[in-house]
Amino acid sequence: MTQANLVLTPGDGIGPEVVAAALQMLQAVADRFGHVFHTSQFLVGGCAIDAFGTALPDETLQAALKADAVLLGAVGGPRWDDPTASLRPEQGLLKLRKSMEVFANLRPVQLYPELLEASPVRLDRLQGVDLLVVRELTSDVYFGEPKLRRVVDGEIQAIDTMSYSEYEIRRVAHVAFRLARNRRKKVTSVDKANVLESSRLWRQVVTQVGEQYPDVSLEHILVDAASMFLISRPASFDVLVTGNLFGDILTDEASVLTGSMGNLPSASLGEKTNSLGLPRGLYEPIHGSAPDIAGLMIANPIGTIMSVSMLLRHSLGLLHEAEAVENSVKRAIAAGHRTRDLGGNLDTQQMTAAVIQCLDE
Ligand code: IPM
Ligand code: MG
């Protein structure tokens, strides 16, 4: 029996709807496999700005740093979107990632054979697609300093800084190569080394790390070309490793190969461990708060349920349970259960119930 202390941060928009689905799945797994998961919920994002005047209240951060794993829904929404606002929901998520030191964001893109026709990409290009994006998550232009606005000659100028240190590249590269070893042994590093200094360092360090993994092949692709190849020959990729900004953009693109970005989970891991001696991870679907459908209870819960599977695997070491969750999602889809984004008419709750039912089959 495993006991674990899980922190849930539903956040904004459809976040609470999909986290409610994940909570049901966690409970179903605990019941069936005899584990005890203590869960507690905390605010992050826009709802935290409204309640506490900060996107990451200290009680949320402290709970996250003590938890065995954290499951987050989504943050943001039109209510907090004023471009001149000093408080932004996204600050909460970024500070949480940074404080938990989860520098490696794993975003697997796996296709469900029954959903191929929901993909905007031609069927023949989708054969064999199974890729994993390892996105660096705690550096780059997201965090680089200076980051400011100033007035120059009477005009406002805004500055962001794209910066990478060697160790930040090295540690995420190691994660990518290690993961590739258990897959098809190919790493594609994505950068913009023809223009950016930080990308030239990126390429240099990834090459050095790659020398320690002679069994894994390494190629470098510029980000503009990578965005094209993700559509024109997605099956040629195994593990992609890239910086924070490029990873953000490319994973939205890659997600729709599966038919809907609502399907994609993610796990963010670092070197910090939990009470089980395993990585204290942050798990989140890659989709956002989807303000257009928030409150309608029709969001696709698969990305979050698959994030639960990743949580069980990476932070709790429950491999059998993780696989059971994954298989139940596959079976539910194979049986024709679909939310609206996938062309069906189930609501979030019905889809969740269908997946949980498949856990018993
Ligand atoms: C993601 C999201 C976030 C990011 C936003 C909400 C800050 O787009 O997780 O992909 O840019 O990292
Ligand atoms: Mg994104």
Side-chain angles (χ1 to χ4, degrees), residues 70-251:
V70 179
L71 182 74
L72 182 136
V75 298
R79 278 181 53 203
W80 306 280
D81 254 355
D82 175 0
T84 62
S86 61
L87 290 177
R88 303 186 50 81
E90 292 77 9
Q91 292 162 343
L93 176 56
L94 299 189
K95 188 170 172 198
L96 186 60
R97 290 171 176 172
K98 189 84 174 169
S99 308
M100 291 180 71
E101 298 175 57
V102 284
F103 57 82
N105 179 218
L106 280 40
R107 297 186 162 187
V109 180
Q110 277 166 303
L111 299 190
Y112 300 93
E114 302 80 8
L115 290 183
L116 291 184
E117 74 265 34
S119 173
V121 172
R122 264 183 14 215
L123 216 79
D124 57 309
R125 314 232 160 155
L126 293 172
Q127 298 308 325
V129 169
D130 175 12
L131 62 94
L132 171 67
V133 179
V134 180
R135 169 191 177 195
E136 198 287 328
L137 203 63
T138 54
S139 183
D140 200 355
V141 70
Y142 274 58
F143 295 95
E145 296 285 348
K147 185 186 249 329
L148 52 82
R149 282 185 183 211
R150 64 185 181 193
V151 177
V152 180
D153 296 335
E155 293 280 330
I156 302 175
Q157 182 191 41
I159 296 176
D160 292 289
T161 303
M162 185 175 260
S163 124
Y164 264 113
S165 298
E166 269 184 285
Y167 78 95
E168 292 171 327
I169 304 168
R170 198 184 304 125
R171 64 189 183 181
V172 75
H174 276 292
V175 171
F177 282 104
R178 278 200 299 268
L179 288 165
R181 269 196 170 150
N182 294 318
R183 298 174 48 99
R184 302 197 308 279
K185 300 189 168 43
K186 177 175 175 190
V187 169
T188 303
S189 175
V190 177
D191 62 39
K192 188 67 185 170
N194 54 345
V195 176
L196 302 172
E197 200 54 49
S198 55
S199 276
R200 284 190 281 274
L201 181 64
W202 178 278
R203 194 173 277 217
Q204 195 183 326
V205 174
V206 172
T207 303
Q208 280 163 9
V209 172
E211 283 160 11
Q212 298 172 43
Y213 299 82
D215 51 324
V216 178
S217 75
L218 169 64
E219 66 175 358
H220 300 276
I221 299 191
L222 297 173
V223 63
D224 44 355
S227 76
M228 172 176 62
F229 295 145
L230 267 175
I231 298 299
S232 61
R233 52 170 177 84
S236 67
F237 296 113
D238 180 15
V239 175
L240 287 125
V241 63
T242 189
N244 204 344
L245 180 64
F246 300 154
D248 178 45
I249 298 167
L250 292 178
T251 50

Side-chain angles (χ1 to χ4, degrees), residues 323-334:
E323 233 165 81
V325 171
E326 211 176 309
N327 288 335
S328 67
V329 168
K330 285 184 190 159
R331 277 199 291 268
I333 289 174

